[in-house]
């Protein structure tokens, strides 16, 4: 029965009937999987699925934490040279060089200690600036 002014887009809906019969327990769809012969994991990858997780992603939950990264030896040495350089002045130059090496090493995410390297650089540059200002003041006063 149609309403005046209404045109249906399709015919009368029919009841759903599956086109294939339901599988029986002996069919290949219900085979027991042999775990000695693993299935290729790429079989389950489709354009609509996310990529398969790596080993690190699979075991990245609680209880599977990886070792922490080691501290950069250059960064530690830069901070030590920076602190010693405040009192002895000469190691401040080493703090600058080692601080830059430490920053370079920590930027690759293989070591931690970026703050240590930055602290060594700040102390090294601060001491070098003070020494340069003192030398400049002495030089100007002798003119």
């Amino acid at each position: 029965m149609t309403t005046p002014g209404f045109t249906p887009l399709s015919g009368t809906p029919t009841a759903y009937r599956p086109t294939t019969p339901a599988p029986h327990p002996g069919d290949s769809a219900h085979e027991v999987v042999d775990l000695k012969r693993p299935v290729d994991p790429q079989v389950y990858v489709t354009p609509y699925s996310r990529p398969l997780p790596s080993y690190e992603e699979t075991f990245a939950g609680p209880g599977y934490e990886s070792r922490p990264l080691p501290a950069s030896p250059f960064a530690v040495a830069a901070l030590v040279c920076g602190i010693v350089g405040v009192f002895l002045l000469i190691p401040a130059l080493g703090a600058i060089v080692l601080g830059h090496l430490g920053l370079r090493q920590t930027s690759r995410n293989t070591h931690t200690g970026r703050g240590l390297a930055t602290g060594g650089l700040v102390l090294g540059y601060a001491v070098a600036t003070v020494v340069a200002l003192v030398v400049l003041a002495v030089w100007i006063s002798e003119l």
Side-chain angles (χ1 to χ4, degrees):
M1 183 171 192
T2 62
T3 309
F6 174 74
T7 306
L9 295 176
S10 63
T12 308
T14 59
Y16 171 74
R17 291 191 185 110
T19 56
T20 58
H24 296 290
D27 287 349
S28 64
H30 292 287
E31 280 185 24
V32 176
V33 178
D34 184 13
L35 296 178
K36 293 179 183 174
R37 293 181 299 147
V39 177
D40 180 25
Q42 295 301 322
V43 171
Y44 299 105
V45 176
T46 66
Y48 304 105
S49 64
R50 86 181 263 281
L52 294 173
S54 66
Y55 181 82
E56 291 79 17
E57 288 176 329
T58 303
F59 297 105
Y64 291 100
E65 289 88 12
S66 62
R67 291 184 333 190
L69 295 175
S72 169
F74 293 127
V76 174
L79 186 63
V80 169
C81 286
I83 293 171
V84 172
V86 170
F87 303 108
L88 300 178
L89 305 179
I90 300 297
L93 297 175
I96 294 170
V97 173
L98 291 170
H100 283 289
L101 291 173
L103 283 178
R104 186 174 182 203
Q105 194 174 31
T106 58
S107 68
R108 297 181 188 146
N109 291 332
T110 58
H111 290 81
T112 59
R114 190 163 185 82
L116 299 173
T118 304
L121 273 173
V122 168
L123 287 171
Y125 278 123
V127 170
T129 303
V130 168
V131 168
L133 289 175
V134 167
V135 168
L136 183 66
V138 168
W139 182 67
I140 290 176
S141 68
E142 290 182 0
L143 288 179

